Amino acid sequence: MFCPKGFRSDDTFENYTEDARSHNDVAVLPPQISTTSVQEAAVSPVTPSLSRLHPDTRLWASGAAQGGAWTSQAPVPGATSPDAPALTVFQHDLHMAWRAEDSTDSIWFSSTGDGETWETPWNLPYVGTSEQPALCAVNETLYLAWKGAGREQNIYWSTSADGHKWEDQQILGGAETSRSPSLVAFHGVLRAFWRGGEHLITSNQNLYLSVRGETGWSAPIVLPGMASVESPAVAVLGDTLYLAHRGTKAPLDNDKWIRLWSSGNGVAWTSRANPAEAYTDLAPALAADNGTLHLVWKSASGPEIWYSPFDGDQTWQPPARVAAFETACSPALCDFRPTAGTSEVFLAWRGSTL
């Protein structure tokens, strides 16, 4: 059985609920949101005077045959969150995971086979997170990883054979983070990346790696020369693993520039040409498709989403704004081939304001 932070397998749900109330929280199930209401909200007029007062917590999605060509957007029915979603392709479908908008902090899912019609959301009970979750498929297994709820900084993980039924949650030993983890499959092996934890007077902004082998997860490895106040982004292009991250944050220094690294074996890393004029206050997102590495990020000075492609060698294309899309969180990116269609670069994000 899954057990959230502070909830033991021998506790009753009533005890957990009472404990949650003592922390000014309420343990309730996430509300179901009808497709009709979400569609109506997408077209309902909002007066300018109210737009700054009402955050748009809907999750949006857009697919395009080429990165940067996103023009149309649509909300994922029933999907709302205070954070960004996660994306991955599993058994030919595009899967999305997100943190619940209500106080349960539970994790919800949906999937699509064509990039347009989404399944009714379902959730993973008795787990909680305060950040964006992470998804990755390795062979016939779907992996999910997430930071604990509230101030807890353990990294939890679970597996599923169908995307609906999940195995009991487990802790990734030795890992501690204050942000969401990142997952990637490289040479057929799952790898987890994360930044360090935060405590009362210390902030560990080093980046770490752990590899999932036949006997379990490896001990965390510090990535030399890499540090960030936010989560790293990872993707595989050909036989090369790429990692992107923004800089560190200190009282007198807030480094928002995005950096790129690459590795041919997952152990030794090389600093690559950084994208021009790419800076963000949150985590960037990476995906690879048709021989191109795609990078998206939220502007450091506003809700705009920006995009730049990389040829895998030294050349970045100039940054361009992604249509009129806006977000208050980090975007998510994934390469996806719909059931009947050509390969697409799929973008998902949480809204900004109504």
Side-chain angles (χ1 to χ4, degrees):
M1 180 182 75
F2 283 101
C3 298
K5 175 180 178 290
F7 188 77
R8 303 185 303 273
S9 59
D10 58 342
D11 279 342
T12 63
F13 184 76
E14 289 75 16
N15 288 342
Y16 170 63
T17 306
E18 185 63 31
D19 180 67
R21 291 195 187 100
S22 69
H23 289 79
N24 296 322
D25 201 356
V26 179
V28 296
L29 293 178
Q32 295 293 313
I33 302 174
S34 69
T35 301
T36 302
S37 63
V38 172
Q39 291 173 339
E40 289 175 351
V43 297
S44 298
V46 179
T47 59
S49 61
L50 293 178
S51 65
R52 294 189 300 274
L53 304 178
H54 296 276
D56 180 7
T57 60
R58 291 171 295 177
L59 299 183
W60 296 80
S62 180
Q66 294 182 343
W70 302 286
T71 56
S72 61
Q73 60 178 333
V76 177
T80 61
S81 177
D83 288 304
L87 294 173
T88 200
V89 174
F90 177 61
Q91 296 178 348
H92 307 295
D93 289 343
L94 181 66
H95 287 250
M96 177 183 287
W98 65 91
R99 171 191 168 197
E101 187 178 7
D102 64 23
S103 59
T104 64
D105 287 335
S106 60
I107 298 175
W108 287 74
F109 304 89
S110 185
S111 65
T112 177
D114 60 8
E116 297 179 359
T117 304
W118 293 83
E119 286 193 45
T120 300
W122 65 93
N123 83 320
L124 178 59
Y126 310 120
V127 304
T129 184
S130 59
E131 299 287 334
Q132 169 190 11
L135 284 173
C136 185
V138 182
N139 299 321
E140 294 301 313
T141 301
L142 181 60
Y143 287 83
L144 172 73
W146 65 98
K147 173 196 171 294
R151 296 180 180 178
E152 184 183 1
Q153 301 191 66
N154 287 324
I155 295 178
Y156 294 87
W157 65 280
S158 180
T159 62
S160 174
D162 61 5
H164 288 262
K165 297 179 181 178
W166 292 87
E167 298 297 324
D168 289 349
Q169 66 179 358
Q170 300 183 62
I171 292 179
L172 202 166
E176 182 183 65
T177 186
S178 60
R179 300 292 190 270
S180 61
S182 301
L183 298 176
V184 69
F186 182 53
H187 292 164
V189 177
L190 182 68
R191 286 167 165 79
F193 295 82
W194 65 94
R195 63 142 285 181
E198 288 188 357
H199 298 281
L200 186 61
I201 59 174
T202 61
S203 176
N204 180 4
Q205 299 181 33
N206 291 321
L207 297 185
Y208 293 84
L209 160 69
S210 181
V211 180
R212 175 72 179 164
E214 294 182 358
T215 59
W217 291 95
S218 68
I221 303 167
V222 178
L223 299 179
M226 303 186 205
S228 176
V229 71
E230 297 290 340
S231 306
V234 284
V236 175
L237 177 62
D239 292 327
T240 303
L241 174 61
Y242 288 89
L243 182 150
H245 66 86
R246 61 147 286 176
T248 57
K249 184 177 181 179
L252 299 178
D253 182 23
N254 189 3
D255 181 359
K256 300 181 180 182
W257 293 98
I258 297 176
R259 295 156 172 80
L260 182 71
W261 302 76
S262 69
S263 175
N265 57 13
V267 177
W269 292 84
T270 301
S271 177
R272 304 300 297 267
N274 296 324
E277 300 299 322
Y279 52 99
T280 181
D281 53 346
L282 300 174
L286 281 177
D289 180 73
N290 289 331
T292 300
L293 188 69
H294 305 271
L295 173 71
V296 293
W297 65 94
K298 174 193 169 294
S299 169
S301 58
E304 303 84 12
I305 301 174
W306 289 81
Y307 163 79
S308 182
F310 181 62
D311 65 3
D313 186 16
Q314 292 292 329
T315 305
W316 285 94
Q317 295 300 317
R321 185 178 174 185
V322 178
F325 304 165
E326 294 186 349
T327 185
C329 305
S330 303
L333 202 60
C334 184
D335 62 308
F336 171 55
R337 184 179 295 275
T339 305
T342 59
S343 179
E344 293 185 349
V345 182
F346 215 85
L347 176 69
W349 65 99
R350 200 211 88 160
S352 176
T353 55
L354 291 170

